[in-house]
Amino acid sequence: VKAATGQGSPLDKMYEEALRQTCEQIVITSAHPRTCIQVIVQVESEDGAILAVMKNALCLALMDAGIPMRSMFAGVSCVEQENGELMWDPTADEEEESTAKYTFVYENSKNNAIYVHCTGESTVEQYMLALQKSRQVAMEVFGFYRESFEKLLRKDVKFQILLPPIIKGEQVDSE
């Protein structure tokens, strides 16, 4: 995690460690021995749920680069408000006003939580409810991944069809 300006903060180091842990669990490193896979995440602006956003950006970047993974993963952020209600994808202001913040990361093959980060005060019951409902939200994120990559693949296929065929460096007339 690189700071947009200046030195990274201790919070940036925590984010970096969280991203590294996820990569170590998900990336199939045996497919590329003695290879360094470096992903740089630079936050340009933030309005809440930053750790979940970083995890989702990491997954999309690994998928786009064709890095072999055991499964896809999705980050979900949730806050508990003072009245006990849970709210997903909170803004920075909603995070400030909350009594507890949760970030869950789920992998899609078994839909298990592979990473959890919690801050604040809550009950075990509220935590379990947030864990359960966040799993459903993660399924929506996986649906978004699918739609995004289908659009990307359609665009790539359309682009390849529109290109005239090239043989040995010479353009062939297509009529």
Side-chain angles (χ1 to χ4, degrees):
V1 177
K2 299 283 184 185
T5 58
Q7 288 288 96
S9 68
L11 188 58
D12 291 333
K13 292 294 181 193
M14 187 277 295
Y15 292 150
E16 186 176 323
E17 180 64 20
L19 295 174
R20 185 187 60 75
Q21 287 175 0
T22 301
C23 280
E24 287 177 351
Q25 289 180 19
I26 294 294
V27 172
I28 302 173
T29 55
S30 61
H32 301 286
R34 296 181 298 278
T35 300
C36 174
I37 299 170
Q38 184 176 13
V39 179
I40 297 173
V41 176
Q42 187 168 12
V43 178
E44 294 294 323
S45 65
E46 176 188 350
D47 188 29
I50 191 65
L51 186 55
V53 170
M54 285 184 193
K55 296 274 188 166
N56 293 335
L58 174 63
C59 184
L60 289 169
L62 292 170
M63 288 168 41
D64 190 48
I67 303 295
M69 298 187 291
R70 288 178 177 78
S71 64
M72 293 187 304
F73 55 94
V76 176
S77 186
C78 158
V79 294
E80 184 179 330
Q81 298 172 321
E82 287 186 30
N83 62 4
E85 287 187 36
L86 297 172
M87 177 185 299
W88 280 265
D89 195 22
T91 64
D93 291 338
E94 291 166 340
E95 285 182 340
E96 274 300 310
E97 296 168 2
S98 68
T99 58
K101 288 192 306 187
Y102 307 102
T103 300
F104 301 102
V105 178
Y106 296 91
E107 50 93 24
N108 73 327
S109 62
K110 296 178 185 159
N111 207 17
N112 290 331
I114 60 170
Y115 178 86
V116 177
H117 183 260
C118 305
T119 57
E121 293 182 19
S122 184
T123 64
V124 173
E125 292 80 18
Q126 281 295 92
Y127 168 79
M128 295 306 289
L129 182 62
L131 181 68
Q132 179 186 23
K133 289 194 176 190
S134 291
R135 183 174 283 122
Q136 296 166 352
V137 175
M139 296 308 291
E140 294 175 25
V141 175
F142 292 130
F144 170 76
Y145 288 175
R146 184 180 331 280
E147 290 173 19
S148 297
F149 270 84
E150 283 175 356
K151 286 179 187 175
L152 181 68
L153 290 174
R154 276 192 298 250
K155 191 182 291 184
D156 278 355
V157 169
K158 187 183 245 184
F159 181 71
Q160 290 173 2
I161 291 171
L162 293 176
L163 284 177
I166 298 177
I167 300 174
K168 293 186 182 177
E170 295 181 20
Q171 191 169 359
V172 176
D173 291 331
S174 57
E175 291 186 35

